[in-house]
Amino acid sequence: MAVSSTQPGARPARRPRGEGQWALGHREPLNPNERTKRDDNPLNVRARIENIYAHRGFASIDPADLRGRFRWWGLYTQRKAGIDGGRTAVLEPHELEDEYFMLRVRVDGGQLNLAQLRAIADISQRYARDTADVTDRQNIQLHWIRVEDMPAIWRQLEDVGLYTTEACGDCPRIILGSPVAGVAGTEKIDATPAIDEIVRRYIGIPELSNLPRKFKSSISWLADTPYEANDISFLGVEHPDYGPGFDVWVGGGLSTNPMLAKRLGVWVPLDEVPDVWAGVVSIFRDYGYRRLRNRARLKFLVADWGVEKFREVLEKEYLGRTLLDGPPPQLPEKPIDHIGVHPQLDGRNYVGVAPVVGRVSGSQLGALADAAQAHGSDRVRLTPYQKLLVLDVPPERTGSLVTALRGIGLEAEPSSWRRGTMACTGIEFCKLAIVETKARGEELVARLEERLREFDADISIHINGCPNACARTQTADIGLKGQLVMGPDGRQVEGFQVHLGGGLGMAQGQTAGFGRKLRGLKTTAEELPEYVERLARRYLAGRTEGEPFAQWVIRVDEEELR
């Protein structure tokens, strides 16, 4: 018979441990990050940067501001040069960090006019040693930034309508959008007004500036963003009764515990997207797990609740109305790729070009603005795949623009290797990285272009400097997670754990899934080009007609993949 808790000697029932969910009354700070946010809203740090730190210099910065609140304004300290990856996890933050910053410029929807592009180019050349990276979140990142220069940088950015507000931190990050929003012939709704309204209403407001962790969004009619890897995504769908609107997905995210977003099963018209977005962010703020940082992303709450409960809470507690049921989206026949010359809805063209692994420079961005202007364009777009588009090019001037862009290192007819390879920031600047990524990616692309120039298949390669998957390791044909491995002489050297056959559901017939990890499948960084070449040749020799790389990986014996 069960012992009653009221019997002598019985222990009182243990209260379930709280997960830091505000809505359940668990508001006590539970970790250093939560204490920092409680002590002062991170948005307030901008005034201290402008009024104190910019005048007194790096040494004057309060550590809680430096390693916490600065992120809400797009600033991370960058890695001190010369520290190898073996020391990443053992050194204290002050030992790893340099007195310079990475600055992330927020470019929601990836949309830039030439005045904005020129401002970024000028800031890069004037304050950032001519550095610039196009990221897979449609941002531009600069390096070597000094705190003394931030007031002038903000003035220059804001004069042209650009911001760094909440580009990092536990807040709503940049909103991904289709790079061809408003010009694509197959687009039924341009989602730009919804993105603009969300930014206007909600970005930089105290009510949403303290979330449990980062919050990533995507809003696009076309399936040309990685919608399954975001906390919330709106993807275009045609309702049989109500016409074009958006399907809603929640709870996606990668890093060390990857999960794909799940459909809520609702249909949302364009003008309701901002309200639904705000409702989901508010659920995350109020019910998200704040106790442990490694369980604080929205994906863990969605996994525990399930989509039915999540939808119920959204409708009853936050929207006050029931959302319409909606059909799943109809994906395109092939994955959408914007590289090359493509027609716009208005009869003009857009031209998509590929830098190598997203690495550009301020000088190159300035030259891009000059080339675009000379060919009648005032608009450039960034893609979530580290690529660039020039919009509104007259057909008769398109060939000339392709040639001009090739002259500055931006290729509209790239090899499949250049087209399909991405890399995160890596050990050059990132304090979390274990290995070099950008230079390795450039070397890998050059080697494969030399050895497999006529390769006729698309293989995506995503190179990551650590397990955090900023370059989406798990959703690439070949995902490379940076780590230290044993070299031929028995010493630890830079290398990668290999993930094979991952991908997102970007077209009809594609099933989203994470890359296959084979026991012990690793490569040193030096041997990486040889390994990828060997794998690609085996795929070419053994594939069946029309068989994608990801399906070949599942079919063949493990030895073929080593």
Side-chain angles (χ1 to χ4, degrees):
M1 190 172 83
V3 177
S4 168
S5 61
T6 59
Q7 291 181 348
R11 293 182 179 180
R14 180 181 295 176
R15 291 183 61 188
R17 181 173 58 184
E19 293 293 341
Q21 295 168 282
W22 285 1
L24 301 184
H26 303 144
R27 296 188 68 95
E28 282 299 310
L30 297 164
N31 59 55
N33 300 80
E34 290 299 312
R35 286 198 297 272
T36 295
K37 292 183 288 182
R38 179 204 62 181
D39 292 344
D40 185 41
N41 189 300
L43 293 173
N44 295 335
V45 80
R46 174 159 172 175
R48 292 193 288 279
I49 294 172
E50 292 180 315
N51 298 323
I52 301 172
Y53 303 143
H55 302 282
R56 298 182 185 176
F58 186 89
S60 71
I61 303 173
D62 182 287
D65 285 344
L66 180 67
R67 301 183 188 105
R69 302 182 189 102
F70 268 44
R71 298 176 186 181
W72 273 250
W73 290 97
L75 290 161
Y76 288 94
T77 49
Q78 68 186 40
R79 188 188 190 94
K80 189 178 295 182
I83 300 177
D84 65 68
R87 301 169 70 194
T88 295
V90 298
L91 294 180
E92 294 296 322
H94 70 274
E95 296 175 298
L96 276 170
E97 66 196 9
D98 207 340
E99 295 189 359
Y100 297 94
F101 294 88
M102 179 208 80
L103 176 65
R104 185 175 293 159
V105 180
R106 187 176 183 121
V107 188
D108 290 278
Q111 301 188 15
L112 290 169
N113 60 43
L114 293 193
Q116 293 171 328
L117 183 61
R118 290 189 195 281
I120 294 172
D122 184 67
I123 290 168
S124 169
Q125 293 171 284
R126 186 178 301 186
Y127 302 112
R129 303 189 187 182
D130 206 28
T131 60
D133 289 325
V134 179
T135 79
D136 62 0
R137 295 295 306 174
Q138 292 178 297
N139 297 300
I140 296 284
Q141 288 183 177
L142 308 175
H143 303 283
W144 299 108
I145 297 296
R146 302 186 317 142
V147 71
E148 292 88 341
D149 296 323
M150 279 311 303
I153 291 172
W154 276 324
R155 283 194 298 272
Q156 190 169 355
L157 288 173
E158 291 167 6
D159 280 349
V160 294
L162 289 174
Y163 306 91
T164 69
T165 314
E166 295 185 329
C168 314
D170 298 346
C171 52
R173 305 281 186 92
I174 183 177
I175 301 170
L176 297 185
S178 171
V180 293
V183 303
T186 55
E187 181 184 65
K188 297 290 183 67
I189 299 177
D190 178 0
T192 303
I195 295 174
D196 290 345
E197 185 65 9
I198 289 169
V199 172
R200 185 187 70 80
R201 280 196 222 169
Y202 301 117
I203 302 306
I205 66 170
E207 293 84 354
L208 295 180
S209 65
N210 182 359
L211 304 179
R213 283 292 302 273
K214 69 182 77 169
F215 187 85
K216 296 183 175 182
S217 309
S218 172
I219 307 175
S220 173
W221 176 267
L222 297 176
D224 58 354
T225 72
Y227 63 94
E228 292 167 297
N230 285 266
D231 295 282
I232 186 170
S233 291
F234 295 82
L235 185 61
V237 67
E238 194 91 38
H239 193 285
D241 298 322
Y242 300 102
F246 292 90
D247 192 38
V248 183
W249 300 61
V250 295
L254 300 179
S255 192
T256 55
N257 196 332
M259 300 183 195
L260 294 171
K262 300 175 176 65
R263 291 188 63 240
L264 276 188
V266 302
W267 177 88
V268 177
L270 178 66
D271 61 352
E272 293 182 13
V273 166
D275 289 340
V276 173
W277 180 92
V280 172
V281 178
S282 299
I283 290 177
F284 182 40
R285 177 196 61 200
D286 298 341
Y287 285 99
Y289 303 146
R290 293 175 182 263
R291 187 174 70 85
L292 297 174
R293 294 286 287 177
N294 62 3
R295 269 183 54 82
R297 290 291 298 275
L298 180 65
K299 62 187 177 183
F300 294 101
L301 182 67
V302 173
D304 288 348
W305 277 8
V307 292
E308 289 184 8
K309 178 177 179 179
F310 193 96
R311 177 177 174 178
E312 180 183 5
V313 171
L314 174 65
E315 292 174 335
K316 291 183 177 179
E317 297 186 25
Y318 291 88
L319 297 179
R321 66 181 188 275
T322 300
L323 295 169
L324 289 169
D325 293 338
Q330 293 295 310
L331 296 175
E333 291 184 8
K334 298 183 193 177
I336 299 170
D337 179 58
H338 297 304
I339 300 301
V341 176
H342 301 269
Q344 294 182 179
L345 185 63
D346 61 5
R348 292 180 290 182
N349 292 330
Y350 71 85
V351 179
V353 293
V356 182
V357 295
R359 175 56 52 88
V360 289
S361 68
S363 301
Q364 197 174 28
L365 293 178
L368 170 61
D370 291 342
Q373 183 178 23
H375 291 81
S377 171
D378 187 53
R379 295 196 290 174
V380 167
R381 299 278 174 90
L382 312 177
T383 85
Y385 299 92
Q386 301 182 340
K387 307 299 188 289
L388 294 152
L389 275 58
V390 178
L391 271 54
D392 306 331
V393 184
E396 67 274 12
R397 308 187 73 179
T398 302
S400 173
L401 177 62
V402 168
T403 301
L405 295 176
R406 181 174 296 133
I408 60 172
L410 298 174
E411 183 56 66
E413 299 172 346
S415 68
S416 61
W417 304 114
R418 182 166 175 166
R419 190 182 206 132
T421 303
M422 298 199 309
C424 72
T425 300
I427 203 169
E428 182 182 8
F429 296 116
C430 179
K431 300 189 299 294
L432 301 177
I434 301 167
V435 303
E436 170 59 46
T437 55
K438 292 291 190 185
R440 294 293 183 192
E442 291 171 347
E443 293 167 6
L444 176 62
V445 169
R447 167 73 176 268
L448 294 171
E449 286 180 339
E450 176 187 349
R451 302 277 295 177
L452 292 169
R453 180 172 296 276
E454 303 304 321
F455 192 76
D456 66 349
D458 292 323
I459 294 180
S460 58
I461 303 173
H462 296 181
I463 307 173
N464 293 262
C466 77
N468 288 322
C470 292
R472 304 195 289 269
T473 319
Q474 304 96 329
T475 61
D477 287 314
I478 302 176
L480 301 167
K481 183 178 79 173
Q483 59 182 219
L484 298 179
V485 302
M486 286 297 176
D489 60 358
R491 297 182 183 180
Q492 284 194 326
V493 296
E494 289 191 3
F496 299 93
Q497 181 189 56
V498 181
H499 299 235
L500 295 172
L504 297 174
M506 307 303 289
Q508 296 175 23
Q510 288 188 343
T511 302
F514 300 127
R516 182 180 179 186
K517 291 187 288 185
L518 305 184
R519 183 182 297 275
L521 182 52
K522 302 174 182 178
T523 176
T524 67
E526 291 295 330
E527 295 169 339
L528 176 62
E530 179 182 341
Y531 169 73
V532 175
E533 180 186 344
R534 181 170 69 247
L535 192 64
R537 291 188 183 279
R538 288 176 177 172
Y539 165 61
L540 288 180
R543 65 183 174 177
T544 60
E545 185 176 354
E547 184 177 34
F549 181 84
Q551 291 182 10
W552 175 80
V553 164
I554 295 171
R555 178 174 61 82
V556 300
D557 293 336
E558 284 192 12
E559 287 308 309
E560 284 286 288
L561 306 176
R562 295 186 181 274

